[in-house]
Amino acid sequence: RPWLGDRCTLRAMPLPRDAAILVAGLSDRVYHSLTLPVDLALLGAPGCTLECSIESAHAFGGSGGLGFTHVDIPLQPELRGLEVFVQVLAVDPAANPGGLTSSNALRLRIGSR
């Protein structure tokens, strides 16, 4: 769980390649004018969806099909209870014409001890 003032480790596996993108957002319902989830078939990735808004994107790398990153949660009391949604988008040329796969989204609620 992401705690105020702690480091949160996010992992995803299996990844088709050793590098991907972790997107993070504040909504799992809307992204600009789009209603989530968004079907990524329009990008040539049938069966894949964007399930969270994108307020930030980070390289998500690792090795052997395991991706990970560390996120430091500031010790700011106003963040307590904030929900953040994260999802991994990976390049996978063999998966579909768009060469893209997506994970499910994860809902994180920042807490305090």
Side-chain angles (χ1 to χ4, degrees), residues 30-50:
V30 295
Y31 179 46
H32 295 288
S33 63
L34 301 172
T35 300
L36 295 170
V38 172
D39 186 351
L40 297 179
L42 294 170
L43 298 177
C48 296
T49 55
L50 177 64

Side-chain angles (χ1 to χ4, degrees), residues 78-94:
E78 60 272 15
L79 296 177
R80 184 181 300 118
L82 179 70
E83 288 187 337
V84 178
F85 302 89
V86 296
Q87 181 177 14
V88 175
L89 304 174
V91 174
D92 187 358

Side-chain angles (χ1 to χ4, degrees), residues 87-108:
Q87 181 177 14
V88 175
L89 304 174
V91 174
D92 187 358
N96 51 51
L100 178 69
T101 58
S102 63
S103 72
N104 294 326
L106 178 64
R107 177 191 312 246
L108 302 172

Side-chain angles (χ1 to χ4, degrees), residues 41-66:
L42 294 170
L43 298 177
C48 296
T49 55
L50 177 64
E51 298 181 10
C52 65
S53 61
I54 302 174
E55 272 69 53
S56 67
H58 308 275
F60 193 75
S63 63
L66 171 65

